Amino acid sequence: MEKILVLDFGGQYNQLIARRVRDNGVYAEILPYTVSLETIKKKNYKGIIFTGGPNSVFEMSSPHYTKKILEIGVPVLGICYGCQLVAWMAGGTVETPVTGEYGKIELTAEKSVLFKDIPEKSIVWMSHTDRIAKLPKGFEVIASTEDCPCAAMQDSEKNIFAVQFHPEVTHSEYGKAVLHNFLYEICQCSGDWQMDNFIEATVRKLKEQIGSKNVILGLSGGVDSSVAAALLSKAVGRQLTCVFVDQGLMRKDEGDFVEQTFTSLFDMNFVRVNCAAQFLEKLKGITDPEQKRKIIGTEFFNVFWNEIRKQQDKGYFAQGTIYPDCIESGKGDADVIKTHHNRVNLPEDVEFLGVIEPLADLFKDEVRSVGEKLGIPKELVWRQPFPGPGLGVRIIGEITAEKISILQEADWVLRDEMAKNGYEKNLSQFFCVLPGVKTVGVMGDHRTYENLVAIRAVTTDDFMTADWARIPFDILAKVSNRITNEVKGVNRVVYDITSKPPGTVEWE
């Protein structure tokens, strides 16, 4: 399989670059800038992309790399900080001008294979303080802006290219074309990264690895664990046991839906553990959000592993780990891998033959693509992000059975209405929150003092930032009317119009 290396120098868009490469049918993997040159050489990459980063290349504390990487004969594309790093490594000069460039800027491109079939004038996304002041020997300018004389450069003989703008973001008008040209015109890729190939190869590999042994998977009902379960079911059938812990904090009827889906569509052993009362008892009187999270997480861990201990032949343990869970960061100590809820710590007294992570090479959008091809229902494949503690962090204050019921019903009304009017496709995430506030109301000529429900809905590309969704007033009015009429214990509905930042998507 052809591979492109995304060498991470601490840029916020490192994952986005890799995803854009994969969108072009070429596999990309991310490694921190601390990886050795020998390791890079052994992997036979078709090309290397240097990411952006927040530092200045002329500061010795900034992330650097040996200039020998420019001599190994592999095409290189530097982006933003990576552009300046190429110049610095090759003997050029980088400076901090009076003015930087931020946001949408008009780019003037020269004739170059990197800008093949791209207009001379286009809009790109800039975000830089420093810039190239003097080109390295052998390089020529291939693009400029009003304030940046060298917005892109190339050494065509060595196939080294660098751009000051960000082609990976949607704000760069022809950014996809720039990356496509680098991959296919410069790196000579053929595009062999396809989801059908992935499924076939992964199923074959799983069969070989597992053999006649059993596999246990913790199934949350989320996208990642669901697709992992479907892949394993396709590979080994009833050798797979999925353990589904229903702690009573899921959305309305969601537990039943998960069970029905996996018992009717896939060949596996499905174990459902209903423990809502147990969780409520542990959470009684607890109001601090962090304490609630810890209790829910700890209790989930205990319930899950107590169920696993009942299994006679444990075989392998499978997780829904995806690629972003595994990426080492280039921002600091690159030996520390980012922890994530998909990666579970195994108790010392439970032994397995090994851990299987069939989705560890995929980004979320690729996981969804695999899920669709495996026949998982749309409701699961395109399930919106849902917090690990479930509705526990959407109920402010103490969690009770009554509050869970109210929130489940209100949230169901919101989802039902969005599905009916087709507006859900315009939203990245939407849900209801029970803030723990009661307000005065009038219902049927009687004074009421009931719960307030808040609606949260956002649009975003990556959830690093998010804007509150401009849902039409008539839709909000219908939702509010239905919630106050259909959900017992609610007499007021409000809409959250806070973006991220300063707020977060979730309330707790």
Side-chain angles (χ1 to χ4, degrees), residues 317-367:
F317 179 64
Q319 301 187 108
T321 310
I322 65 175
Y323 193 51
D325 306 335
C326 311
I327 296 171
E328 298 180 21
S329 173
K331 295 182 180 179
D333 183 356
D335 291 330
V336 179
I337 299 177
K338 298 173 183 177
T339 57
H340 194 276
H341 69 274
N342 281 344
R343 282 223 151 144
V344 178
N345 293 320
L346 278 62
E348 293 181 0
D349 65 322
V350 181
E351 294 184 1
F352 289 95
L353 296 174
V355 177
I356 293 174
E357 299 174 323
L359 306 177
D361 288 332
L362 303 186
F363 285 107
K364 179 73 78 175
D365 52 340
E366 294 170 324
V367 173

Side-chain angles (χ1 to χ4, degrees), residues 243-425:
V243 177
F244 172 55
V245 177
D246 187 350
Q247 85 286 53
L249 296 171
M250 302 183 76
R251 288 170 284 210
K252 183 180 179 181
D253 299 331
E254 199 164 30
D256 294 338
F257 174 65
V258 171
E259 181 175 9
Q260 181 183 2
T261 297
F262 285 94
T263 54
S264 62
L265 297 181
F266 299 99
D267 187 25
M268 64 173 65
N269 296 305
F270 186 91
V271 178
R272 180 175 179 178
V273 184
N274 293 306
C275 48
Q278 181 177 335
F279 273 72
L280 279 175
E281 182 61 30
K282 292 285 184 180
L283 290 164
K284 191 173 182 179
I286 305 299
T287 59
D288 179 76
E290 281 307 306
Q291 197 175 354
K292 286 194 294 183
R293 283 178 180 273
K294 288 176 182 176
I295 290 172
I296 293 169
T298 300
E299 199 59 24
F300 187 94
F301 183 88
N302 292 335
V303 170
F304 177 75
W305 288 110
N306 285 338
E307 184 63 35
I308 297 302
R309 288 183 179 95
K310 299 176 185 177
Q311 307 296 321
Q312 297 299 315
D313 179 11
K314 297 184 177 62
Y316 290 92
F317 179 64
Q319 301 187 108
T321 310
I322 65 175
Y323 193 51
D325 306 335
C326 311
I327 296 171
E328 298 180 21
S329 173
K331 295 182 180 179
D333 183 356
D335 291 330
V336 179
I337 299 177
K338 298 173 183 177
T339 57
H340 194 276
H341 69 274
N342 281 344
R343 282 223 151 144
V344 178
N345 293 320
L346 278 62
E348 293 181 0
D349 65 322
V350 181
E351 294 184 1
F352 289 95
L353 296 174
V355 177
I356 293 174
E357 299 174 323
L359 306 177
D361 288 332
L362 303 186
F363 285 107
K364 179 73 78 175
D365 52 340
E366 294 170 324
V367 173
R368 295 189 198 277
S369 177
V370 169
E372 286 183 324
K373 292 179 183 298
L374 290 171
I376 299 176
K378 179 182 176 184
E379 293 89 337
L380 269 182
V381 173
W382 291 99
R383 186 181 192 251
Q384 293 182 0
F386 192 62
L391 299 180
V393 292
R394 293 179 182 172
I395 296 172
I396 313 302
E398 183 182 8
I399 300 170
T400 66
E402 181 187 15
K403 290 179 181 178
I404 292 172
S405 177
I406 290 172
L407 185 56
Q408 285 177 332
E409 293 298 329
D411 195 71
W412 183 86
V413 168
L414 173 64
R415 294 185 176 280
D416 182 57
E417 200 58 42
M418 290 300 173
K420 283 180 178 177
N421 60 48
Y423 202 78
E424 61 183 352
K425 65 180 181 296

Side-chain angles (χ1 to χ4, degrees), residues 136-151:
K137 185 179 178 180
F139 281 79
E140 61 180 325
V141 174
I142 54 173
S144 60
T145 69
E146 184 177 346
D147 293 317
C148 188
C150 179

Side-chain angles (χ1 to χ4, degrees), residues 209-250:
Q209 180 180 0
I210 297 166
S212 61
K213 300 296 182 181
N214 291 328
V215 186
I216 293 174
L217 171 74
L219 181 62
S220 68
V223 180
D224 304 334
S225 65
S226 296
V227 175
L231 263 177
L232 284 160
S233 172
K234 187 176 177 66
V236 298
R238 296 193 69 79
Q239 291 169 236
L240 170 67
T241 296
C242 288
V243 177
F244 172 55
V245 177
D246 187 350
Q247 85 286 53
L249 296 171
M250 302 183 76

